[in-house]
Amino acid sequence: MLPGGCYTLYGQVLSPCASLGQGLKFSPSSPAQAQIVHAGQACVVKEDNISERVYTIREGDTLVLQCLVTGHPRPQVRWTKTAGSASDKFQETSVFNETLRIERIARTQGGRYYCKAENGVGVPAIKSIRVDVQYLDEPVLTVHQTVSDVRGNFYQEKTVFLRCTVNSNPPARFIWKRGSDTLSHSQDNGVDIYEPLYTQGETKVLKLKNLRPQDYASYTCQVSVRNVCGIPDKAVTFQLTNTTAPPALKLSVNETLVVNPGENVTVQCLLTGGDPLPQLQWSHGPGPLPLGALAQGGTLSIPSVQARDSGYYNCTATNNVGNPAKKTVNLLVRSMKNATFQITPDVIKESENIQLGQDLKLSCHVDAVPQEKVTYQWFKNGKPARMSKRLLVTRNDPELPAVTSSLELIDLHFSDYGTYLCVASFPGAPVPDLSVEVNISSETVPPTISVPKGRAVVTVREGSPAELQCEVRGKPRPPVLWSRVDKEAALLPSGLPLEETSDGKLRLERVSRDMSGTYRCQTARYNGFNVRPREAQVQLNVQFPPEVEPGSQDVRQALGRPVLLRCSLLRGSPQRIASAVWRFKGQLLPPPPVVPVAAEAPDHSELRLDAVTRESSGSYECSVSNDVGSAACLFQVSAKAYSPEFYFDTPNPTRSHKLSKNYSYVLQWTQREPDAVDPVLNYRLSVRQLNQHNALVKAIPVRRVEKGQLLEYILTDLRVPHSYEVRLTPYTTFGAGDMASRIIHYTEPISSPSLSDNTCHFEDEKICGYTQDLTDNFDWTRQNALTQNPKRSPNTGPPTDISGTPEGYYMFIETSRPRELGDRARLVSPLYNASAKFYCVSFFYHMYGKHIGSLNLLVRSRNKGALDTHAWSLSGNKGNVWQQAHVPINPSGPFQIIFEGVRGSGYLGDIAIDDVTLKKGECPRKQMDPSKVVVMPGSAAPRQPLPQLWGPVAAFLLALQR
């Protein structure tokens, strides 16, 4: 099938076709407009009290929102979401698509969704809709009891509170029941039902005052969201007895449990009360239970415990009565690590050196669990240090970390020089001792730090390793701490603010450009002198290849005109162009003339083409280097035309011809930047039916096309209801330009009496705006011969539509089970505004089968309320044939027409309609035109052959194909 067509350039008729307009018509760029519609599993879409659109959907269903846009050029659509109407921060990644689809939507995905459409013309169009996700969780029922003295302890009153809580949207309705009886204030003075403050409709409390014997019963809390979105009610039940009590616990061990590494630990959590029987659960903080730990009932077992297993272990008992009972065990696994020392010269004299006659303090510390159980012992030259007036050992110096041991030497003598050893231990525990050694002599001096010569600035290439070095002198030599000086990047590449190195070298793997900057090295105040840190700085420069713009550029120019190509350096290290090389189609070009510039290094390179020709058109590359690497600017130079821009807002572009099963389509477009290159001489049009290989190719000559000028071509003889791919390519003296493509679909316009051709063929899923009546018993069905149920009832219903082709659609009523005698199906038209005194409703009907009921045509007047009047009716079997009816109506105001199918006495009663037309004026005098009777296959009457539309024209169009 090859569609034909006619075309016009408005004001310039180029070949014979129907008149499409007078004078030159322009379609100036128009700003984007948008509208949000839903196509998913919405419960309801409504306008709330402040006139905002609300889309209600059940949690777990599929959300589908469509943003329908108009504007030229075609707008781009972006979806974003906020948490609520008061928030202006987007929570999710933007979706660039006209359709937003969310499978299994969650409650956290509710909120306001924005559709933003923009095409660069005017301000963007922004529409929004609030998505309300509906849900109902399982309710939770807890019980609380109070006992109060009354009248001076003569007796006690026991009050019980049953608290029912649920998460839901919308807020749930609560119903309390005792057994099967619903409770309320008015029916029982012993109960009170109320909502606690600040619970926002999520909680209802049933208060049983001065508990009575009949109050010991089964209580049910039923929650409901009134079947919104089909969400069923949920309920929870509790049996209240005279033994109901909250849980109580005790532990088999002390709340602090200290063990040695490698031991097997067992802790029992014992129930001492609770009815109903509480549930026990163990947890660990921080983090989950250790690997290998077993929690069974109230017993927690940890085999071969290690230091990493230390922490708090919680046993919790719950039975929804009162508050949960909780017991905590602090498990401490003995361990020691990180032994350090400090040398502190005489603080009072503010000295930083060791001097005879001044005081000196040696400190020793380990990180231990439990910290307070650590013991320290000092040795001098291998022998235990003896306490004296000049040698003191102290613990918990307030100026040092907790549980630190210090040895103080008063009025240092030469005899005090020697090697001091600090030993930390856990007495009686199988934990190895840790020790640290300090040598005190005349050679023990505080540290100095410096950067080796030539290492103050380190320059490396991106991706390479780097080593920053600081040298520490002194005895002993403390560790070196590295940090960054840059305020914007306070963390080291390791992600830490400080990093310790024992040799003064900071090693970086695969450096990146963001690691450039100043690094500080400083001496630590431990494992050395406890004095002011010494520090130095190292500069790291990371070199990286250049970045240029444009990365890629499409350069258009008319033949014979000059072009200047410019490649600019954006960033790089070093920030200069060392060399620039130009190539054309891969071939090296001579260097461009050097233009005198200032003394600083150039930041761009230019190439000038004196005239664009076919020979000089093609790909140009400028490769820029900064001695570290290179980058390239790519230019595609040509004189070819830009692509056309299809106009998507053509009103009613589809025209259908049902009997021939053909339709035509009005294709409109503008030319993008027509003055940028040589004038467009013609367009090459290619039309291909989807899922087919053959295409019609046709040349459309045009005169000079101006910017914004609307061009039009009418595609004819397209087959209903197929879709087509249309490709359009402009041609200039240079040759073919950029091609644009789009898909066109067959759609039927919504019925309106103002249309000159207002026939509804039901070929489109929107069925011309007709809707199913919500008050009838069942619905009309749209189908064709290809979608029919192969097991459908024989001897009833049409095999095809009025055209006799298998693709053609029609509307029918299916009268098989579960339909019953007298069931009605109503198909309602859109609302028409009466602009004439008389109208004629024409349609084809098919009533074949021995159980045929009735087909009625009603007119619904909308003057004052809705009033339905019968305009036409037909009953009984009329044969396996399509017949046409013309029904005159004279509505007095706005109206709708209704097709009502009534089921007969059995299942062989399918009724169908097709080709409904509503026109102004009176109906034809002959109510039944014999030429309009179409006998279905299998009957004796011959069919009228369809007119042949092609012949010589088809042969001519075939010759144009490539």
Side-chain angles (χ1 to χ4, degrees):
M1 191 282 301
L2 298 174
C6 64
Y7 50 88
T8 64
L9 174 61
Y10 271 103
Q12 306 168 15
V13 180
L14 303 174
S15 70
C17 66
S19 175
L20 298 175
Q22 297 295 328
L24 194 63
K25 181 172 182 179
F26 285 85
S27 175
S29 298
S30 55
Q33 296 184 10
Q35 176 188 5
I36 296 178
V37 299
H38 69 92
Q41 297 170 279
C43 306
V44 64
V45 177
K46 63 181 181 180
E47 310 288 333
D48 70 5
N49 293 334
I50 57 174
S51 299
E52 67 172 353
R53 300 192 66 205
V54 181
Y55 179 108
T56 303
I57 188 171
R58 180 174 176 170
E59 186 174 44
D61 286 348
T62 299
L63 170 72
V64 181
L65 297 176
Q66 289 182 316
C67 189
L68 304 182
V69 296
T70 60
H72 189 70
R74 185 70 167 175
Q76 297 294 315
V77 174
R78 178 188 180 193
W79 282 97
T80 49
K81 171 187 174 290
T82 60
S85 58
S87 173
D88 58 356
K89 294 183 179 180
F90 294 127
Q91 286 192 328
E92 298 180 359
T93 303
S94 299
V95 178
F96 293 88
N97 201 333
E98 291 187 9
T99 300
L100 174 66
R101 183 181 184 90
I102 301 178
E103 304 282 352
R104 299 187 59 80
I105 190 169
R107 64 191 64 179
T108 56
Q109 293 174 303
R112 181 171 297 282
Y113 285 80
Y114 292 86
C115 159
K116 181 179 181 181
E118 55 185 337
N119 61 356
V121 181
V123 298
I126 300 177
K127 295 294 182 181
S128 69
I129 187 170
R130 183 160 60 87
V131 175
D132 197 14
V133 182
Q134 311 282 275
Y135 57 90
L136 177 64
D137 290 345
E138 295 291 338
V140 176
L141 197 157
T142 56
V143 180
H144 302 269
Q145 305 178 75
T146 61
V147 178
S148 59
D149 295 329
V150 179
R151 295 183 182 179
N153 296 331
F154 286 107
Y155 68 95
Q156 292 181 324
E157 279 189 355
K158 188 175 184 180
T159 302
V160 173
F161 300 87
L162 284 83
R163 184 186 184 98
C164 186
T165 302
V166 69
N167 293 321
S168 69
N169 183 34
R173 179 181 62 184
F174 293 79
I175 299 176
W176 281 101
K177 294 182 179 180
R178 179 192 289 130
S180 58
D181 299 331
T182 301
L183 295 174
S184 66
H185 305 280
S186 58
Q187 295 177 352
D188 189 338
N189 293 328
V191 303
D192 188 13
I193 300 174
Y194 64 93
E195 177 181 327
L197 294 175
Y198 312 115
T199 58
Q200 299 178 349
E202 299 172 349
T203 302
K204 272 290 192 299
V205 173
L206 172 63
K207 180 181 179 182
L208 305 177
K209 300 177 289 187
N210 191 16
L211 208 62
R212 305 160 299 180
Q214 63 265 32
D215 292 330
Y216 294 113
S218 176
Y219 291 87
T220 298
C221 171
Q222 181 178 327
V223 292
S224 170
V225 288
R226 294 161 289 281
N227 202 39
V228 62
C229 292
I231 299 176
D233 296 352
K234 296 183 179 180
V236 60
T237 300
F238 184 86
Q239 182 70 41
L240 181 65
T241 68
N242 57 3
T243 60
T244 297
L249 291 174
K250 72 175 183 178
L251 291 173
S252 63
V253 297
N254 294 329
E255 291 185 354
T256 299
L257 179 61
V258 181
V259 297
N260 295 318
E263 291 183 359
N264 296 326
V265 175
T266 300
V267 181
Q268 287 186 323
C269 188
L270 306 174
L271 284 171
T272 59
D275 183 24
L277 184 67
Q279 299 292 319
L280 293 173
Q281 185 176 13
W282 281 96
S283 61
H284 178 226
L289 291 174
L291 189 65
L294 178 63
Q296 190 170 9
T299 302
L300 173 66
S301 301
I302 307 175
S304 186
V305 71
Q306 300 299 320
R308 61 179 177 271
D309 299 331
S310 295
Y312 291 94
Y313 290 81
N314 306 306
C315 175
T316 306
T318 56
N319 66 349
N320 290 340
V321 178
N323 296 320
K326 183 178 179 180
K327 292 292 183 179
T328 299
V329 177
N330 183 14
L331 178 63
L332 301 177
V333 182
R334 292 186 178 94
S335 65
M336 289 192 298
K337 60 182 180 180
N338 300 334
T340 59
F341 70 90
Q342 289 179 313
I343 302 173
T344 306
D346 198 320
V347 176
I348 296 177
K349 298 183 178 180
E350 298 181 353
S351 176
E352 291 191 346
N353 295 283
I354 296 176
Q355 298 182 26
L356 296 176
Q358 294 185 358
D359 296 345
L360 180 69
K361 181 166 62 177
L362 307 180
S363 304
C364 175
H365 177 81
V366 295
D367 296 329
V369 177
Q371 187 75 52
E372 66 276 4
K373 299 297 183 181
V374 176
T375 63
Y376 296 93
Q377 188 175 5
W378 286 92
F379 296 84
K380 177 186 178 183
N381 297 329
K383 296 180 180 180
R386 295 182 179 180
M387 301 280 289
S388 67
K389 292 182 179 180
R390 291 195 313 104
L391 193 151
L392 304 176
V393 176
T394 60
R395 187 182 173 98
N396 294 331
D397 190 325
E399 297 181 359
L400 298 174
V403 193
T404 297
S405 178
S406 296
L407 185 149
E408 295 187 40
L409 297 171
I410 310 299
D411 188 17
L412 184 68
H413 291 182
F414 181 81
S415 60
D416 295 326
Y417 287 165
T419 301
Y420 291 83
L421 180 69
C422 173
V423 179
S425 61
F426 277 128
V431 178
D433 295 344
L434 287 183
S435 62
V436 62
E437 191 176 78
V438 187
N439 186 268
I440 301 299
S441 69
S442 59
E443 298 178 355
T444 305
V445 293
T448 61
I449 194 169
S450 63
V451 179
K453 186 177 181 179
R455 301 289 296 173
V457 177
V458 178
T459 302
V460 295
R461 293 193 176 187
E462 191 171 38
S464 302
E467 184 177 271
L468 311 184
Q469 183 178 0
C470 287
E471 291 183 345
V472 178
R473 293 181 175 86
K475 187 177 181 181
R477 289 193 303 176
V480 174
L481 303 178
W482 286 91
S483 61
R484 293 197 68 166
V485 178
D486 316 74
K487 294 182 179 179
E488 304 84 15
L491 298 181
L492 292 166
S494 62
L496 301 173
L498 283 174
E499 189 168 330
E500 176 187 321
T501 63
S502 58
D503 59 358
K505 296 179 180 179
L506 178 64
R507 296 172 177 85
L508 305 175
E509 301 292 336
R510 296 185 59 82
V511 297
S512 59
R513 64 193 66 180
D514 59 334
M515 295 183 187
S516 295
T518 305
Y519 289 74
R520 177 191 296 115
C521 59
Q522 63 183 33
T523 56
R525 301 183 68 168
Y526 54 88
N527 290 348
F529 275 75
N530 180 22
V531 294
R532 176 183 55 82
R534 276 60 169 165
E535 64 179 49
Q537 293 184 351
V538 179
Q539 179 69 33
L540 175 64
N541 294 330
V542 179
Q543 294 184 334
F544 56 91
E547 295 181 12
V548 295
E549 70 171 0
S552 178
Q553 184 176 6
D554 187 11
V555 180
R556 307 289 177 100
Q557 185 60 278
L559 291 173
R561 295 181 184 175
V563 165
L564 180 65
L565 307 181
R566 180 184 177 118
C567 184
S568 300
L569 176 65
L570 284 180
R571 61 187 64 87
S573 179
Q575 181 77 17
R576 61 181 176 83
I577 295 179
S579 64
V581 177
W582 286 86
R583 291 180 174 85
F584 173 57
K585 296 182 179 179
Q587 300 298 316
L588 192 65
L589 293 175
V594 177
V595 179
V597 294
E600 63 268 12
D603 62 355
H604 67 274
S605 179
E606 294 181 346
L607 177 68
R608 180 179 177 85
L609 303 180
D610 293 331
V612 175
T613 63
R614 288 184 176 85
E615 292 73 21
S616 64
S617 297
S619 176
Y620 289 81
E621 178 187 50
C622 175
S623 180
V624 171
S625 172
N626 67 347
D627 292 335
V628 176
S630 61
C633 298
L634 299 178
F635 302 91
Q636 191 65 38
V637 178
S638 75
K640 67 179 182 179
Y642 285 104
S643 63
E645 295 178 324
F646 286 109
Y647 188 69
F648 288 85
D649 301 331
T650 306
N652 300 316
T654 305
R655 299 289 186 270
S656 59
H657 315 284
K658 184 63 176 285
L659 290 178
S660 63
K661 293 302 294 181
N662 291 340
Y663 72 96
S664 60
Y665 194 92
V666 179
L667 188 70
Q668 294 181 318
W669 71 93
T670 60
Q671 178 60 41
R672 178 186 168 197
E673 301 298 338
D675 298 328
V677 295
D678 298 292
V680 176
L681 303 177
N682 60 73
Y683 288 91
R684 179 187 176 190
L685 175 69
S686 171
V687 182
R688 179 184 63 85
Q689 181 179 318
L690 295 188
N691 302 321
Q692 300 290 330
H693 297 292
N694 296 331
L696 164 72
V697 179
K698 189 169 188 176
I700 306 177
V702 293
R703 299 177 186 174
R704 181 172 180 82
V705 179
E706 298 185 23
K707 185 173 182 179
Q709 192 172 353
L710 190 65
L711 293 89
E712 179 179 291
Y713 182 87
I714 301 179
L715 299 169
T716 61
D717 300 324
L718 305 174
R719 299 293 292 172
V720 174
H722 296 295
S723 299
Y724 292 81
E725 180 191 41
V726 176
R727 295 184 177 185
L728 196 61
T729 306
Y731 276 78
T732 64
T733 53
F734 177 80
D738 292 339
M739 180 268 295
S741 67
R742 64 170 294 191
I743 304 298
I744 61 173
H745 303 280
Y746 174 75
T747 57
E748 288 187 322
I750 294 179
S751 298
S752 169
S754 63
L755 297 177
S756 58
D757 179 8
N758 187 31
T759 300
C760 181
H761 309 297
F762 302 112
E763 300 299 334
D764 185 76
E765 292 182 356
K766 298 178 182 179
I767 57 175
C768 313
Y770 279 76
T771 57
Q772 307 284 355
D773 196 332
L774 300 179
T775 63
D776 55 9
N777 306 111
F778 65 110
D779 289 342
W780 287 79
T781 302
R782 174 179 171 268
Q783 76 170 20
N784 62 12
L786 302 178
T787 61
Q788 286 178 352
N789 186 347
K791 297 182 180 180
R792 68 188 184 93
S793 305
N795 301 320
T796 187
T800 65
D801 74 338
I802 181 65
S803 69
T805 59
E807 299 88 359
Y809 282 88
Y810 55 90
M811 302 296 292
F812 87 108
I813 60 169
E814 171 60 67
T815 57
S816 301
R817 295 179 58 187
R819 302 277 67 84
E820 297 179 353
L821 176 65
D823 280 359
R824 299 173 183 270
R826 286 186 165 193
L827 190 65
V828 184
S829 76
L831 182 65
Y832 304 123
N833 290 318
S835 58
K837 186 175 182 180
F838 299 102
Y839 287 90
C840 182
V841 181
S842 301
F843 59 94
F844 283 87
Y845 61 88
H846 189 282
M847 302 172 66
Y848 171 54
K850 65 179 181 180
H851 300 143
I852 290 291
S854 301
L855 175 63
N856 302 319
L857 177 67
L858 298 88
V859 177
R860 176 173 292 173
S861 174
R862 289 287 186 176
N863 272 340
K864 296 181 180 179
L867 178 63
D868 297 346
T869 57
H870 277 76
W872 178 89
S873 182
L874 194 64
S875 302
N877 184 3
K878 303 304 177 185
N880 188 16
V881 60
W882 283 100
Q883 302 184 62
Q884 190 175 29
H886 302 284
V887 181
I889 60 174
N890 55 343
S892 59
F895 69 97
Q896 295 169 287
I897 60 173
I898 302 173
F899 288 95
E900 180 183 66
V902 183
R903 203 255 195 186
S905 59
Y907 65 90
L908 298 178
D910 296 353
I911 298 174
I913 60 173
D914 200 1
D915 284 20
V916 179
T917 303
L918 178 64
K919 292 185 177 181
K920 298 178 183 178
E922 297 182 352
C923 290
R925 293 185 179 181
K926 294 184 178 180
Q927 293 298 304
M928 188 67 66
D929 186 347
S931 67
K932 294 297 183 180
V933 177
V934 180
V935 182
M936 304 314 298
S939 60
R943 292 185 58 191
Q944 291 184 340
L946 294 177
Q948 299 297 321
L949 302 178
W950 289 98
V953 176
F956 169 73
L957 295 176
L958 281 169
L960 293 174
Q961 289 194 78
R962 293 184 179 179

